[in-house]
Amino acid sequence: MRAFYSVPLTLLALAIALPVSASVPSPNNSTIPPCLQMCPYGDLTYMVVIRDFANNPIPGSAVMLDFSGCPSVRLCPPPGPTTYYAFTNAQGVATFAVKGGGGCTSSVNVYADGVLLTYGSGQPNPSVASPDQDGNKFVIVSDQAVLSAKTATDPTADLNCDGTHNAADDAVLSAHLGHYCDAVVPGAPHSWGQLKMQYR
């Protein structure tokens, strides 16, 4: 499913305005992966599975990611939301392609049809990892230095979500060099200054 930027509505208003399943999402039965990947270009995805208390998938559930507890995460405009939402498919799967950078440790809240699924409600809060390590909404070579300085156990450095920071994460970052909000810079970028010169 396509992910959308949030609108300035409360979860209650969203639930009233949009059709959702009559089933109630279960925090314990839903699947909320602990690692959320994002890139400014929006070419990394994050999937959650929403199930009810009978462990049945819920189609048409309105799922929301709340980044308000992650000030170090920088989401792309317009206008740079603090929430994203998507709707589950027939299998109860909601797919997000969040556009942004930076990192965050276990502070993203996940809601389904207004039900909080994380923060002690049944699932851990996801951490955020992005090739844009410094959160300037541009993946450049300086992000490699930031990534290299992080420990093996830092979840914000786990770009492939395998549970540890290693050489495979360096390869992920390299594959996203030149990515920024809604575009990719052609060729191999060398520095922020050089990249800016291409767009003056």
Side-chain angles (χ1 to χ4, degrees):
M1 298 295 291
R2 182 183 175 187
F4 297 89
Y5 287 119
S6 69
V7 293
L9 299 174
T10 65
L11 288 173
L12 178 61
L14 179 64
I16 292 172
L18 300 170
V20 296
S21 170
S23 299
V24 177
S26 166
N28 289 318
N29 292 336
S30 297
T31 301
I32 312 297
C35 175
L36 191 162
Q37 299 166 292
M38 68 169 66
C39 175
Y41 188 49
D43 57 344
L44 292 173
T45 58
Y46 178 71
M47 294 185 292
V48 302
V49 183
I50 307 303
R51 301 183 183 90
D52 62 20
F53 285 88
N55 208 33
N56 298 310
I58 303 177
S61 178
V63 183
M64 183 173 288
L65 305 179
D66 177 11
F67 293 93
S68 61
C70 293
S72 58
V73 168
R74 303 287 187 267
L75 299 177
C76 293
T82 58
T83 56
Y84 260 73
Y85 70 88
F87 297 93
T88 57
N89 61 17
Q91 290 73 46
V93 179
T95 302
F96 295 86
V98 181
K99 297 181 179 182
C104 183
T105 303
S106 301
S107 296
V108 178
N109 279 318
V110 181
Y111 297 83
D113 300 332
V115 176
L116 179 62
L117 304 179
T118 53
Y119 195 63
S121 296
Q123 300 287 343
N125 294 69
S127 294
V128 177
S130 173
D132 173 23
Q133 287 279 291
D134 59 12
N136 68 356
K137 303 178 186 178
F138 216 140
V139 185
I140 54 178
V141 292
S142 60
D143 291 305
Q144 293 175 316
V146 176
L147 182 66
S148 297
K150 292 185 176 180
T151 66
T153 58
D154 188 335
T156 66
D158 184 14
L159 301 183
N160 64 353
C161 292
D162 68 353
T164 187
H165 170 213
N166 52 36
D169 301 302
D170 299 333
V172 172
L173 193 153
S174 294
H176 289 264
L177 282 171
H179 290 193
Y180 66 104
C181 296
D182 292 323
V184 177
V185 173
H190 298 289
S191 73
W192 173 233
Q194 288 172 316
L195 288 171
K196 286 193 294 185
M197 288 298 293
Q198 295 183 40
Y199 292 92
R200 286 184 176 174

Short mmCIF file of all heavy atoms in Angstrom, two decimals, residues 129-198:
data_model
loop_
_atom_site.label_atom_id
_atom_site.label_comp_id
_atom_site.label_asym_id
_atom_site.label_seq_id
_atom_site.Cartn_x
_atom_site.Cartn_y
_atom_site.Cartn_z
N ALA A 129 16.48 3.98 11.44
CA ALA A 129 17.82 3.99 10.85
C ALA A 129 17.71 4.49 9.42
O ALA A 129 16.81 4.08 8.68
CB ALA A 129 18.44 2.59 10.88
N SER A 130 18.62 5.38 9.03
CA SER A 130 18.58 5.95 7.68
C SER A 130 19.99 6.11 7.13
O SER A 130 20.93 6.42 7.88
CB SER A 130 17.91 7.32 7.72
OG SER A 130 18.00 7.96 6.47
N PRO A 131 20.17 5.92 5.81
CA PRO A 131 21.46 6.24 5.21
C PRO A 131 21.83 7.71 5.41
O PRO A 131 23.01 8.06 5.42
CB PRO A 131 21.25 5.93 3.72
CG PRO A 131 20.11 4.97 3.69
CD PRO A 131 19.23 5.36 4.84
N ASP A 132 20.82 8.56 5.55
CA ASP A 132 21.06 9.98 5.87
C ASP A 132 21.29 10.07 7.38
O ASP A 132 20.40 10.43 8.14
CB ASP A 132 19.86 10.82 5.44
CG ASP A 132 19.98 12.27 5.88
OD1 ASP A 132 21.10 12.74 6.13
OD2 ASP A 132 18.92 12.93 5.99
N GLN A 133 22.47 9.75 7.80
CA GLN A 133 22.78 9.62 9.22
C GLN A 133 22.69 10.94 9.98
O GLN A 133 22.31 10.96 11.15
CB GLN A 133 24.18 9.02 9.39
CG GLN A 133 24.25 7.54 9.07
CD GLN A 133 23.75 6.70 10.22
OE1 GLN A 133 24.39 6.62 11.28
NE2 GLN A 133 22.61 6.05 10.04
N ASP A 134 23.02 12.05 9.35
CA ASP A 134 23.02 13.32 10.08
C ASP A 134 21.70 14.08 9.97
O ASP A 134 21.53 15.14 10.55
CB ASP A 134 24.18 14.22 9.65
CG ASP A 134 24.16 14.55 8.16
OD1 ASP A 134 23.13 14.28 7.49
OD2 ASP A 134 25.17 15.06 7.66
N GLY A 135 20.74 13.54 9.20
CA GLY A 135 19.41 14.13 9.16
C GLY A 135 19.31 15.42 8.37
O GLY A 135 18.37 16.18 8.57
N ASN A 136 20.23 15.64 7.41
CA ASN A 136 20.12 16.86 6.60
C ASN A 136 19.30 16.64 5.33
O ASN A 136 19.27 17.48 4.45
CB ASN A 136 21.50 17.42 6.26
CG ASN A 136 22.29 16.53 5.32
OD1 ASN A 136 21.85 15.44 4.95
ND2 ASN A 136 23.48 16.97 4.94
N LYS A 137 18.65 15.49 5.23
CA LYS A 137 17.78 15.11 4.10
C LYS A 137 18.56 14.91 2.80
O LYS A 137 18.00 15.03 1.72
CB LYS A 137 16.66 16.13 3.91
CG LYS A 137 15.80 16.33 5.15
CD LYS A 137 14.73 17.37 4.94
CE LYS A 137 13.97 17.65 6.23
NZ LYS A 137 12.95 18.72 6.06
N PHE A 138 19.84 14.57 2.93
CA PHE A 138 20.70 14.34 1.77
C PHE A 138 21.71 13.27 2.17
O PHE A 138 22.40 13.41 3.18
CB PHE A 138 21.44 15.63 1.41
CG PHE A 138 21.64 15.85 -0.06
CD1 PHE A 138 21.49 17.12 -0.59
CD2 PHE A 138 22.01 14.81 -0.90
CE1 PHE A 138 21.69 17.35 -1.95
CE2 PHE A 138 22.21 15.04 -2.24
CZ PHE A 138 22.05 16.31 -2.77
N VAL A 139 21.81 12.19 1.40
CA VAL A 139 22.79 11.13 1.70
C VAL A 139 24.08 11.47 0.97
O VAL A 139 24.15 11.41 -0.26
CB VAL A 139 22.27 9.75 1.26
CG1 VAL A 139 23.27 8.66 1.69
CG2 VAL A 139 20.89 9.46 1.85
N ILE A 140 25.09 11.85 1.74
CA ILE A 140 26.38 12.26 1.17
C ILE A 140 27.51 11.55 1.91
O ILE A 140 27.27 10.81 2.88
CB ILE A 140 26.55 13.79 1.24
CG1 ILE A 140 26.34 14.30 2.68
CG2 ILE A 140 25.59 14.48 0.29
CD1 ILE A 140 26.53 15.80 2.82
N VAL A 141 28.74 11.77 1.45
CA VAL A 141 29.87 11.03 2.00
C VAL A 141 30.09 11.29 3.48
O VAL A 141 30.61 10.43 4.19
CB VAL A 141 31.16 11.32 1.20
CG1 VAL A 141 31.05 10.73 -0.20
CG2 VAL A 141 31.43 12.82 1.14
N SER A 142 29.71 12.47 3.98
CA SER A 142 29.89 12.74 5.41
C SER A 142 29.03 11.81 6.26
O SER A 142 29.35 11.55 7.43
CB SER A 142 29.55 14.19 5.72
OG SER A 142 28.22 14.50 5.37
N ASP A 143 27.95 11.26 5.70
CA ASP A 143 27.13 10.30 6.44
C ASP A 143 27.90 9.01 6.70
O ASP A 143 27.65 8.33 7.70
CB ASP A 143 25.85 9.99 5.67
CG ASP A 143 24.89 11.16 5.63
OD1 ASP A 143 24.54 11.68 6.71
OD2 ASP A 143 24.50 11.58 4.53
N GLN A 144 28.84 8.68 5.82
CA GLN A 144 29.65 7.48 6.03
C GLN A 144 30.51 7.60 7.27
O GLN A 144 30.67 6.63 8.02
CB GLN A 144 30.51 7.22 4.79
CG GLN A 144 29.71 6.85 3.55
CD GLN A 144 30.56 6.73 2.31
OE1 GLN A 144 31.43 7.57 2.05
NE2 GLN A 144 30.32 5.69 1.51
N ALA A 145 31.04 8.79 7.52
CA ALA A 145 31.86 9.01 8.72
C ALA A 145 31.01 8.90 9.98
O ALA A 145 31.45 8.34 10.99
CB ALA A 145 32.55 10.37 8.64
N VAL A 146 29.80 9.45 9.93
CA VAL A 146 28.89 9.35 11.08
C VAL A 146 28.57 7.90 11.37
O VAL A 146 28.59 7.44 12.52
CB VAL A 146 27.59 10.15 10.82
CG1 VAL A 146 26.62 9.97 11.98
CG2 VAL A 146 27.91 11.63 10.61
N LEU A 147 28.27 7.14 10.31
CA LEU A 147 27.95 5.73 10.48
C LEU A 147 29.12 4.94 11.04
O LEU A 147 28.96 4.12 11.95
CB LEU A 147 27.51 5.13 9.14
CG LEU A 147 27.10 3.66 9.14
CD1 LEU A 147 25.83 3.46 9.96
CD2 LEU A 147 26.90 3.17 7.71
N SER A 148 30.31 5.20 10.53
CA SER A 148 31.50 4.46 10.96
C SER A 148 31.81 4.67 12.43
O SER A 148 32.40 3.80 13.09
CB SER A 148 32.71 4.87 10.11
OG SER A 148 32.52 4.52 8.76
N ALA A 149 31.44 5.83 12.97
CA ALA A 149 31.75 6.15 14.36
C ALA A 149 30.79 5.47 15.35
O ALA A 149 31.02 5.50 16.56
CB ALA A 149 31.71 7.65 14.57
N LYS A 150 29.74 4.85 14.84
CA LYS A 150 28.74 4.24 15.73
C LYS A 150 29.13 2.82 16.11
O LYS A 150 29.83 2.13 15.37
CB LYS A 150 27.37 4.27 15.07
CG LYS A 150 26.81 5.68 14.92
CD LYS A 150 25.40 5.70 14.38
CE LYS A 150 24.85 7.12 14.34
NZ LYS A 150 23.47 7.19 13.80
N THR A 151 28.65 2.39 17.26
CA THR A 151 28.98 1.06 17.77
C THR A 151 28.16 -0.02 17.06
O THR A 151 27.15 0.27 16.39
CB THR A 151 28.70 0.97 19.28
OG1 THR A 151 27.29 1.09 19.50
CG2 THR A 151 29.43 2.07 20.03
N ALA A 152 28.55 -1.26 17.25
CA ALA A 152 27.86 -2.39 16.62
C ALA A 152 26.45 -2.57 17.15
O ALA A 152 25.60 -3.14 16.47
CB ALA A 152 28.66 -3.68 16.85
N THR A 153 26.18 -2.06 18.35
CA THR A 153 24.86 -2.25 18.97
C THR A 153 23.95 -1.04 18.81
O THR A 153 22.83 -1.05 19.33
CB THR A 153 25.02 -2.57 20.46
OG1 THR A 153 25.74 -1.51 21.10
CG2 THR A 153 25.74 -3.89 20.65
N ASP A 154 24.38 0.00 18.10
CA ASP A 154 23.57 1.20 17.92
C ASP A 154 22.49 0.92 16.88
O ASP A 154 22.80 0.72 15.70
CB ASP A 154 24.45 2.37 17.48
CG ASP A 154 23.72 3.70 17.46
OD1 ASP A 154 22.48 3.70 17.33
OD2 ASP A 154 24.39 4.74 17.56
N PRO A 155 21.22 0.92 17.26
CA PRO A 155 20.17 0.59 16.28
C PRO A 155 20.03 1.62 15.17
O PRO A 155 19.53 1.30 14.10
CB PRO A 155 18.90 0.52 17.13
CG PRO A 155 19.20 1.34 18.35
CD PRO A 155 20.67 1.16 18.59
N THR A 156 20.49 2.86 15.38
CA THR A 156 20.40 3.87 14.33
C THR A 156 21.43 3.63 13.23
O THR A 156 21.40 4.30 12.20
CB THR A 156 20.57 5.29 14.90
OG1 THR A 156 21.91 5.45 15.40
CG2 THR A 156 19.57 5.55 16.03
N ALA A 157 22.36 2.69 13.45
CA ALA A 157 23.36 2.34 12.45
C ALA A 157 23.04 1.03 11.75
O ALA A 157 23.76 0.59 10.86
CB ALA A 157 24.74 2.24 13.11
N ASP A 158 21.94 0.40 12.14
CA ASP A 158 21.55 -0.90 11.57
C ASP A 158 20.69 -0.67 10.33
O ASP A 158 19.46 -0.81 10.37
CB ASP A 158 20.80 -1.71 12.63
CG ASP A 158 20.43 -3.10 12.15
OD1 ASP A 158 20.98 -3.55 11.13
OD2 ASP A 158 19.59 -3.73 12.82
N LEU A 159 21.31 -0.33 9.23
CA LEU A 159 20.58 0.09 8.03
C LEU A 159 19.89 -1.06 7.30
O LEU A 159 18.98 -0.83 6.51
CB LEU A 159 21.52 0.81 7.07
CG LEU A 159 22.21 2.07 7.61
CD1 LEU A 159 23.04 2.73 6.53
CD2 LEU A 159 21.19 3.05 8.18
N ASN A 160 20.32 -2.29 7.54
CA ASN A 160 19.65 -3.43 6.90
C ASN A 160 18.78 -4.22 7.89
O ASN A 160 18.24 -5.28 7.54
CB ASN A 160 20.66 -4.35 6.21
CG ASN A 160 21.62 -5.01 7.20
OD1 ASN A 160 21.62 -4.69 8.39
ND2 ASN A 160 22.45 -5.91 6.70
N CYS A 161 18.66 -3.70 9.09
CA CYS A 161 17.77 -4.28 10.11
C CYS A 161 18.07 -5.75 10.41
O CYS A 161 17.16 -6.55 10.62
CB CYS A 161 16.31 -4.12 9.69
SG CYS A 161 15.74 -2.41 9.68
N ASP A 162 19.37 -6.08 10.48
CA ASP A 162 19.72 -7.45 10.84
C ASP A 162 20.13 -7.58 12.31
O ASP A 162 20.56 -8.64 12.75
CB ASP A 162 20.83 -7.99 9.93
CG ASP A 162 22.17 -7.29 10.14
OD1 ASP A 162 22.23 -6.29 10.90
OD2 ASP A 162 23.17 -7.73 9.53
N GLY A 163 20.00 -6.49 13.05
CA GLY A 163 20.26 -6.54 14.49
C GLY A 163 21.62 -6.07 14.92
O GLY A 163 21.92 -6.03 16.12
N THR A 164 22.48 -5.70 13.98
CA THR A 164 23.81 -5.23 14.34
C THR A 164 24.34 -4.28 13.28
O THR A 164 23.89 -4.28 12.13
CB THR A 164 24.79 -6.42 14.52
OG1 THR A 164 26.04 -5.93 15.02
CG2 THR A 164 25.02 -7.13 13.20
N HIS A 165 25.31 -3.46 13.68
CA HIS A 165 25.97 -2.56 12.73
C HIS A 165 27.24 -3.23 12.25
O HIS A 165 28.14 -3.54 13.03
CB HIS A 165 26.29 -1.22 13.42
CG HIS A 165 27.18 -0.34 12.62
ND1 HIS A 165 28.10 0.52 13.20
CD2 HIS A 165 27.31 -0.16 11.28
CE1 HIS A 165 28.74 1.19 12.26
NE2 HIS A 165 28.29 0.78 11.09
N ASN A 166 27.32 -3.46 10.93
CA ASN A 166 28.50 -4.11 10.36
C ASN A 166 28.73 -3.59 8.94
O ASN A 166 28.11 -2.61 8.52
CB ASN A 166 28.36 -5.63 10.38
CG ASN A 166 27.05 -6.09 9.76
OD1 ASN A 166 26.57 -5.50 8.80
ND2 ASN A 166 26.46 -7.15 10.31
N ALA A 167 29.60 -4.26 8.20
CA ALA A 167 29.95 -3.81 6.85
C ALA A 167 28.76 -3.80 5.90
O ALA A 167 28.72 -3.01 4.95
CB ALA A 167 31.06 -4.69 6.28
N ALA A 168 27.78 -4.65 6.16
CA ALA A 168 26.61 -4.68 5.30
C ALA A 168 25.84 -3.36 5.37
O ALA A 168 25.24 -2.93 4.37
CB ALA A 168 25.69 -5.84 5.70
N ASP A 169 25.88 -2.71 6.51
CA ASP A 169 25.21 -1.40 6.64
C ASP A 169 25.96 -0.33 5.87
O ASP A 169 25.35 0.58 5.30
CB ASP A 169 25.10 -1.02 8.12
CG ASP A 169 24.33 -2.05 8.92
OD1 ASP A 169 23.16 -2.30 8.57
OD2 ASP A 169 24.90 -2.62 9.86
N ASP A 170 27.29 -0.43 5.83
CA ASP A 170 28.08 0.50 5.03
C ASP A 170 27.70 0.38 3.55
O ASP A 170 27.62 1.37 2.83
CB ASP A 170 29.58 0.22 5.20
CG ASP A 170 30.04 0.38 6.64
OD1 ASP A 170 29.40 1.16 7.39
OD2 ASP A 170 31.03 -0.27 7.02
N ALA A 171 27.44 -0.86 3.11
CA ALA A 171 27.06 -1.08 1.72
C ALA A 171 25.69 -0.48 1.43
O ALA A 171 25.46 0.06 0.34
CB ALA A 171 27.05 -2.58 1.42
N VAL A 172 24.77 -0.56 2.39
CA VAL A 172 23.45 0.05 2.21
C VAL A 172 23.59 1.55 2.03
O VAL A 172 22.99 2.15 1.14
CB VAL A 172 22.53 -0.27 3.41
CG1 VAL A 172 21.23 0.53 3.30
CG2 VAL A 172 22.22 -1.75 3.47
N LEU A 173 24.39 2.18 2.89
CA LEU A 173 24.58 3.63 2.78
C LEU A 173 25.18 3.99 1.43
O LEU A 173 24.72 4.93 0.76
CB LEU A 173 25.46 4.14 3.92
CG LEU A 173 25.48 5.66 4.12
CD1 LEU A 173 25.79 6.02 5.57
CD2 LEU A 173 26.49 6.34 3.21
N SER A 174 26.19 3.24 1.01
CA SER A 174 26.82 3.53 -0.28
C SER A 174 25.84 3.45 -1.43
O SER A 174 25.90 4.24 -2.38
CB SER A 174 27.99 2.56 -0.52
OG SER A 174 29.01 2.77 0.43
N ALA A 175 24.90 2.51 -1.35
CA ALA A 175 23.90 2.35 -2.41
C ALA A 175 22.92 3.51 -2.47
O ALA A 175 22.26 3.72 -3.49
CB ALA A 175 23.13 1.05 -2.20
N HIS A 176 22.83 4.30 -1.39
CA HIS A 176 21.89 5.42 -1.35
C HIS A 176 22.58 6.78 -1.48
O HIS A 176 21.91 7.81 -1.37
CB HIS A 176 21.09 5.37 -0.04
CG HIS A 176 20.10 4.25 0.00
ND1 HIS A 176 18.78 4.41 -0.34
CD2 HIS A 176 20.25 2.94 0.31
CE1 HIS A 176 18.15 3.25 -0.22
NE2 HIS A 176 19.03 2.34 0.16
N LEU A 177 23.89 6.80 -1.71
CA LEU A 177 24.59 8.07 -1.88
C LEU A 177 23.95 8.89 -3.00
O LEU A 177 23.66 8.38 -4.08
CB LEU A 177 26.06 7.84 -2.19
CG LEU A 177 26.95 7.48 -0.99
CD1 LEU A 177 28.34 7.05 -1.48
CD2 LEU A 177 27.06 8.64 -0.02
N GLY A 178 23.72 10.16 -2.73
CA GLY A 178 23.11 11.05 -3.70
C GLY A 178 21.60 11.16 -3.57
O GLY A 178 20.99 11.98 -4.24
N HIS A 179 21.01 10.37 -2.70
CA HIS A 179 19.56 10.44 -2.53
C HIS A 179 19.18 11.63 -1.65
O HIS A 179 19.79 11.86 -0.61
CB HIS A 179 19.03 9.16 -1.89
CG HIS A 179 19.09 7.97 -2.79
ND1 HIS A 179 18.44 6.79 -2.53
CD2 HIS A 179 19.74 7.77 -3.98
CE1 HIS A 179 18.67 5.92 -3.49
NE2 HIS A 179 19.46 6.49 -4.39
N TYR A 180 18.17 12.35 -2.07
CA TYR A 180 17.60 13.40 -1.23
C TYR A 180 16.10 13.43 -1.47
O TYR A 180 15.57 12.61 -2.23
CB TYR A 180 18.27 14.76 -1.49
CG TYR A 180 18.04 15.36 -2.86
CD1 TYR A 180 17.15 16.41 -3.03
CD2 TYR A 180 18.76 14.90 -3.97
CE1 TYR A 180 16.96 16.99 -4.28
CE2 TYR A 180 18.57 15.48 -5.21
CZ TYR A 180 17.66 16.52 -5.36
OH TYR A 180 17.48 17.08 -6.60
N CYS A 181 15.40 14.32 -0.84
CA CYS A 181 13.94 14.32 -0.89
C CYS A 181 13.43 14.39 -2.33
O CYS A 181 13.65 15.38 -3.03
CB CYS A 181 13.37 15.49 -0.09
SG CYS A 181 13.74 15.40 1.68
N ASP A 182 12.78 13.33 -2.77
CA ASP A 182 12.12 13.22 -4.07
C ASP A 182 13.06 13.16 -5.27
O ASP A 182 12.61 13.28 -6.40
CB ASP A 182 11.14 14.37 -4.28
CG ASP A 182 9.95 14.28 -3.34
OD1 ASP A 182 9.49 13.16 -3.08
OD2 ASP A 182 9.49 15.33 -2.87
N ALA A 183 14.35 12.97 -5.06
CA ALA A 183 15.24 12.94 -6.22
C ALA A 183 16.53 12.19 -5.90
O ALA A 183 16.84 11.90 -4.76
CB ALA A 183 15.55 14.36 -6.68
N VAL A 184 17.26 11.89 -6.96
CA VAL A 184 18.58 11.27 -6.86
C VAL A 184 19.55 12.09 -7.67
O VAL A 184 19.29 12.42 -8.83
CB VAL A 184 18.56 9.82 -7.40
CG1 VAL A 184 19.96 9.22 -7.36
CG2 VAL A 184 17.59 8.96 -6.61
N VAL A 185 20.68 12.44 -7.07
CA VAL A 185 21.71 13.18 -7.80
C VAL A 185 22.44 12.20 -8.71
O VAL A 185 22.91 11.16 -8.26
CB VAL A 185 22.71 13.82 -6.82
CG1 VAL A 185 23.87 14.45 -7.60
CG2 VAL A 185 22.03 14.88 -5.99
N PRO A 186 22.55 12.48 -10.01
CA PRO A 186 23.27 11.58 -10.90
C PRO A 186 24.76 11.57 -10.62
O PRO A 186 25.33 12.58 -10.20
CB PRO A 186 22.99 12.17 -12.30
CG PRO A 186 22.70 13.61 -12.04
CD PRO A 186 22.02 13.66 -10.70
N GLY A 187 25.38 10.43 -10.80
CA GLY A 187 26.81 10.32 -10.58
C GLY A 187 27.14 10.09 -9.12
O GLY A 187 26.26 9.99 -8.26
N ALA A 188 28.42 10.03 -8.83
CA ALA A 188 28.88 9.76 -7.47
C ALA A 188 29.15 11.07 -6.76
O ALA A 188 30.03 11.84 -7.16
CB ALA A 188 30.16 8.92 -7.50
N PRO A 189 28.41 11.37 -5.67
CA PRO A 189 28.65 12.62 -4.94
C PRO A 189 29.94 12.57 -4.15
O PRO A 189 30.34 11.51 -3.69
CB PRO A 189 27.43 12.71 -4.01
CG PRO A 189 27.01 11.29 -3.81
CD PRO A 189 27.33 10.58 -5.10
N HIS A 190 30.58 13.71 -4.01
CA HIS A 190 31.83 13.77 -3.28
C HIS A 190 31.75 14.63 -2.03
O HIS A 190 32.38 14.33 -1.03
CB HIS A 190 32.94 14.29 -4.20
CG HIS A 190 33.18 13.40 -5.37
ND1 HIS A 190 33.78 12.17 -5.27
CD2 HIS A 190 32.86 13.56 -6.69
CE1 HIS A 190 33.84 11.61 -6.46
NE2 HIS A 190 33.29 12.43 -7.34
N SER A 191 31.02 15.69 -2.08
CA SER A 191 30.90 16.53 -0.90
C SER A 191 29.61 17.32 -0.98
O SER A 191 29.02 17.46 -2.04
CB SER A 191 32.09 17.50 -0.79
OG SER A 191 31.97 18.51 -1.77
N TRP A 192 29.16 17.82 0.16
CA TRP A 192 27.94 18.62 0.20
C TRP A 192 28.10 19.87 -0.67
O TRP A 192 27.22 20.26 -1.40
CB TRP A 192 27.64 18.98 1.64
CG TRP A 192 26.50 19.93 1.84
CD1 TRP A 192 26.52 21.10 2.55
CD2 TRP A 192 25.14 19.81 1.37
NE1 TRP A 192 25.28 21.70 2.52
CE2 TRP A 192 24.43 20.92 1.82
CE3 TRP A 192 24.49 18.85 0.59
CZ2 TRP A 192 23.09 21.12 1.53
CZ3 TRP A 192 23.14 19.04 0.30
CH2 TRP A 192 22.46 20.17 0.77
N GLY A 193 29.29 20.51 -0.63
CA GLY A 193 29.51 21.69 -1.42
C GLY A 193 29.41 21.43 -2.91
O GLY A 193 28.82 22.19 -3.67
N GLN A 194 29.99 20.30 -3.35
CA GLN A 194 29.93 19.95 -4.76
C GLN A 194 28.50 19.66 -5.18
O GLN A 194 28.08 20.00 -6.28
CB GLN A 194 30.83 18.75 -5.03
CG GLN A 194 32.32 19.08 -4.96
CD GLN A 194 33.17 17.85 -5.04
OE1 GLN A 194 32.89 16.85 -4.40
NE2 GLN A 194 34.22 17.91 -5.84
N LEU A 195 27.75 19.01 -4.33
CA LEU A 195 26.35 18.71 -4.65
C LEU A 195 25.53 19.97 -4.77
O LEU A 195 24.70 20.10 -5.67
CB LEU A 195 25.77 17.78 -3.58
CG LEU A 195 26.29 16.35 -3.62
CD1 LEU A 195 25.81 15.59 -2.40
CD2 LEU A 195 25.82 15.63 -4.87
N LYS A 196 25.77 20.93 -3.88
CA LYS A 196 25.03 22.18 -3.95
C LYS A 196 25.34 22.92 -5.25
O LYS A 196 24.46 23.55 -5.83
CB LYS A 196 25.37 23.07 -2.74
CG LYS A 196 24.74 22.59 -1.44
CD LYS A 196 24.84 23.65 -0.38
CE LYS A 196 26.25 23.92 0.02
NZ LYS A 196 26.36 24.87 1.15
N MET A 197 26.57 22.83 -5.71
CA MET A 197 26.96 23.52 -6.93
C MET A 197 26.17 23.01 -8.14
O MET A 197 25.92 23.74 -9.08
CB MET A 197 28.45 23.35 -7.18
CG MET A 197 29.33 24.13 -6.21
SD MET A 197 29.06 25.93 -6.33
CE MET A 197 29.69 26.24 -7.97
N GLN A 198 25.76 21.73 -8.11
CA GLN A 198 25.04 21.17 -9.24
C GLN A 198 23.65 21.78 -9.39
O GLN A 198 23.06 21.73 -10.45
CB GLN A 198 24.87 19.65 -9.07
CG GLN A 198 26.19 18.89 -9.10
CD GLN A 198 25.94 17.40 -9.01
OE1 GLN A 198 25.01 16.88 -9.60
NE2 GLN A 198 26.79 16.72 -8.26
#
